[in-house]
């Protein structure tokens, strides 16, 4: 199953009956089948133990990726960093570990190319040159000056990046159950983020993670005895100003838990923490990249139009 990432739209945290625990009231969010904010990620899929592969929020289809590598780029995997001004986030704090980042701006360029070609009916872009190593990954789309969530779906199963980014570019843009499929008119206002997930650790204490550093995935049994899961990317809790309890309670509501949330119930949660490497690119930066390639090498389809987003 696929996993929805970034959150629900514009919901408030409020105390829920029986939500105790450290720091007072927890979250009374009633989820929409995704996360709990317009930023981050979450899923509420029902899964068998050990069977969480792909996850979208509320069971949206994961879709299948195409292995088609028809020519589009000017050179094999014609992606480089020239004219790019993307926003990289290596995963703060203990997650960075001093190692070289794998995520790159070229990955966002590739996602924009995949979406653009799909919407305009062009052949899919050819295989890019960035690494094809397998990683769990998420593709997030936001829109407008206020960067409202427009789609976010990914997988906790390690996928080769070339096929994984192809698949989840379109799945997050077209099959996120919270939103209608994207249209051509929205392209100029889009921002694309690619998140590669690393350093998964099962922890015994549901509070054993750091806000702003770790993403978390929880597993729990709902009132009917069904196993449920929900997750947030590392940036969600910090961006929303949530503490540990508010984040956990939001995920429980996101995952469909409707009973009062008690501290004893929180202790039954199985929690996995993880890190993320993230890169974000605007459509304007993507266009600058494509114009650079057009000037140097020519491209296999017309340059997409650039309009200042409203």
């Amino acid at each position: 199953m696929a996993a929805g990432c970034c959150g629900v739209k514009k919901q408030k945290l409020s105390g829920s009956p029986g939500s105790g625990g450290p720091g007072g009231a927890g979250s009374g969010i009633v989820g929409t089948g995704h996360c709990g904010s317009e930023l981050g990620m979450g899923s509420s899929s029902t899964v068998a133990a050990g069977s969480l592969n792909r996850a979208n929020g509320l069971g949206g289809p994961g879709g299948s990726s195409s292995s088609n590598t028809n020519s589009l780029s000017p050179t094999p995997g014609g992606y480089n960093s020239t004219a790019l001004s993307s926003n990289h986030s290596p995963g703060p704090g203990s997650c960075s570990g001093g190692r070289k980042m794998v995520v790159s701006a070229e990955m966002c360029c590739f996602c924009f190319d995949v979406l653009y070609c799909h919407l305009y009916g062009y052949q899919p872009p050819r295989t890019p040159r960035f690494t094809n190593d397998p990683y769990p990954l998420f593709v997030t789309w936001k829109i407008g000056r206020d960067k409202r969530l427009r789609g976010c779906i990914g997988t906790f199963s390690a996928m080769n990046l070339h096929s994984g980014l192809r698949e989840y570019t379109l799945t997050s843009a077209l099959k996120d159950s919270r939103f209608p499929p994207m249209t051509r008119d929205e392209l100029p206002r889009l921002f694309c983020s690619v998140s590669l997930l690393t350093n998964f650790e099962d922890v015994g204490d549901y509070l054993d993670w750091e806000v702003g550093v770790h993403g978390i995935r929880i597993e729990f049994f709902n009132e009917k005895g069904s196993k449920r899961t929900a997750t947030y990317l590392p940036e969600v809790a910090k961006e929303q100003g949530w503490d540990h309890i508010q984040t956990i309670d939001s995920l429980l509501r996101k995952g469909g838990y409707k009973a009062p949330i008690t501290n004893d119930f929180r202790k039954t949660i199985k929690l996995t923490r993880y890190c993320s490497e993230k890169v974000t690119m605007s459509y304007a930066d993507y266009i600058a990249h494509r114009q650079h390639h057009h000037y140097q090498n020519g491209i296999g389809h017309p340059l997409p139009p650039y309009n200042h987003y409203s």
Side-chain angles (χ1 to χ4, degrees), residues 79 106-116 139 141 165-166 169-170 192-194 286:
Y79 297 87
E106 292 80 10
M107 295 177 187
C108 288
C109 280
F110 181 63
C111 292
F112 268 118
D113 261 351
V114 169
L115 179 60
Y116 178 84
V139 177
W141 298 99
L165 290 176
R166 284 182 192 272
T169 288
L170 297 181
C192 177
S193 296
V194 171
Y286 164 66

Side-chain angles (χ1 to χ4, degrees), residues 99-219:
R99 63 184 178 80
K100 184 177 179 181
M101 289 178 61
V102 175
V103 74
S104 67
E106 292 80 10
M107 295 177 187
C108 288
C109 280
F110 181 63
C111 292
F112 268 118
D113 261 351
V114 169
L115 179 60
Y116 178 84
C117 290
H118 176 84
L119 292 177
Y120 280 88
Y122 294 112
Q123 291 295 319
R126 69 192 297 176
T127 303
R129 278 188 287 193
F130 56 73
T131 179
N132 195 31
D133 290 343
Y135 283 89
L137 60 93
F138 277 77
V139 177
T140 302
W141 298 99
K142 294 184 181 180
I143 192 166
R145 291 189 181 275
D146 55 351
K147 297 183 180 180
R148 302 181 309 278
L149 180 66
R150 188 58 181 84
C152 183
I153 296 179
T155 175
F156 284 101
S157 292
M159 289 188 71
N160 293 102
L161 289 176
H162 297 171
S163 60
L165 290 176
R166 284 182 192 272
E167 175 172 347
Y168 284 99
T169 288
L170 297 181
T171 301
S172 60
L174 306 174
K175 297 180 180 180
D176 189 322
S177 59
R178 296 166 291 179
F179 306 101
M182 280 185 191
T183 65
R184 296 178 187 178
D185 292 341
E186 293 177 287
L187 275 170
R189 297 184 291 141
L190 289 177
F191 296 80
C192 177
S193 296
V194 171
S195 299
L196 306 184
L197 311 186
T198 63
N199 300 76
F200 286 82
E201 299 176 288
D202 292 331
V203 296
D205 185 343
Y206 71 95
L207 297 174
D208 187 10
W209 55 279
E210 186 175 345
V211 172
V213 173
H214 297 108
I216 58 172
R217 181 180 68 188
I218 64 170
E219 293 183 7

Side-chain angles (χ1 to χ4, degrees), residues 37-304:
S37 78
E38 280 203 313
L39 306 152
M41 80 190 235
S43 72
S44 59
S45 338
T46 303
V47 298
S51 70
L52 182 59
N53 292 323
R54 291 181 295 173
N56 78 30
L58 259 182
S64 0
S65 61
S66 168
S67 58
N68 193 331
T69 57
N70 291 329
S71 176
L72 167 93
S73 301
T75 58
Y79 297 87
N80 61 38
S81 58
T82 307
L84 300 184
S85 57
S86 56
N87 178 19
H88 289 74
S89 173
S94 60
C95 280
S96 54
R99 63 184 178 80
K100 184 177 179 181
M101 289 178 61
V102 175
V103 74
S104 67
E106 292 80 10
M107 295 177 187
C108 288
C109 280
F110 181 63
C111 292
F112 268 118
D113 261 351
V114 169
L115 179 60
Y116 178 84
C117 290
H118 176 84
L119 292 177
Y120 280 88
Y122 294 112
Q123 291 295 319
R126 69 192 297 176
T127 303
R129 278 188 287 193
F130 56 73
T131 179
N132 195 31
D133 290 343
Y135 283 89
L137 60 93
F138 277 77
V139 177
T140 302
W141 298 99
K142 294 184 181 180
I143 192 166
R145 291 189 181 275
D146 55 351
K147 297 183 180 180
R148 302 181 309 278
L149 180 66
R150 188 58 181 84
C152 183
I153 296 179
T155 175
F156 284 101
S157 292
M159 289 188 71
N160 293 102
L161 289 176
H162 297 171
S163 60
L165 290 176
R166 284 182 192 272
E167 175 172 347
Y168 284 99
T169 288
L170 297 181
T171 301
S172 60
L174 306 174
K175 297 180 180 180
D176 189 322
S177 59
R178 296 166 291 179
F179 306 101
M182 280 185 191
T183 65
R184 296 178 187 178
D185 292 341
E186 293 177 287
L187 275 170
R189 297 184 291 141
L190 289 177
F191 296 80
C192 177
S193 296
V194 171
S195 299
L196 306 184
L197 311 186
T198 63
N199 300 76
F200 286 82
E201 299 176 288
D202 292 331
V203 296
D205 185 343
Y206 71 95
L207 297 174
D208 187 10
W209 55 279
E210 186 175 345
V211 172
V213 173
H214 297 108
I216 58 172
R217 181 180 68 188
I218 64 170
E219 293 183 7
F220 62 94
F221 289 93
N222 67 10
E223 305 91 322
K224 298 180 180 180
S226 298
K227 180 169 283 189
R228 307 286 285 182
T229 70
T231 186
Y232 280 136
L233 289 171
E235 61 266 25
V236 177
K238 183 177 180 180
E239 289 176 347
Q240 296 304 298
W242 294 341
D243 60 21
H244 289 74
I245 296 298
Q246 290 173 315
T247 307
I248 293 293
D249 288 2
S250 174
L251 278 178
L252 287 169
R253 295 305 186 201
K254 166 69 206 71
Y257 188 74
K258 296 179 174 60
I261 301 172
T262 66
N263 205 42
D264 285 341
F265 181 75
R266 294 187 191 102
K267 292 178 180 178
T268 68
I269 292 169
K270 178 182 177 182
L271 188 141
T272 302
R273 68 186 187 190
Y274 57 87
C275 301
S276 172
E277 294 182 6
K278 180 182 177 183
V279 61
T280 299
M281 175 179 286
S282 69
Y283 182 82
D285 285 334
Y286 164 66
I287 291 300
H289 167 78
R290 291 310 258 150
Q291 288 172 337
H292 177 78
H293 277 298
H294 179 71
Y295 176 76
Q296 284 191 329
N297 305 304
I299 59 174
H301 64 71
L303 275 172

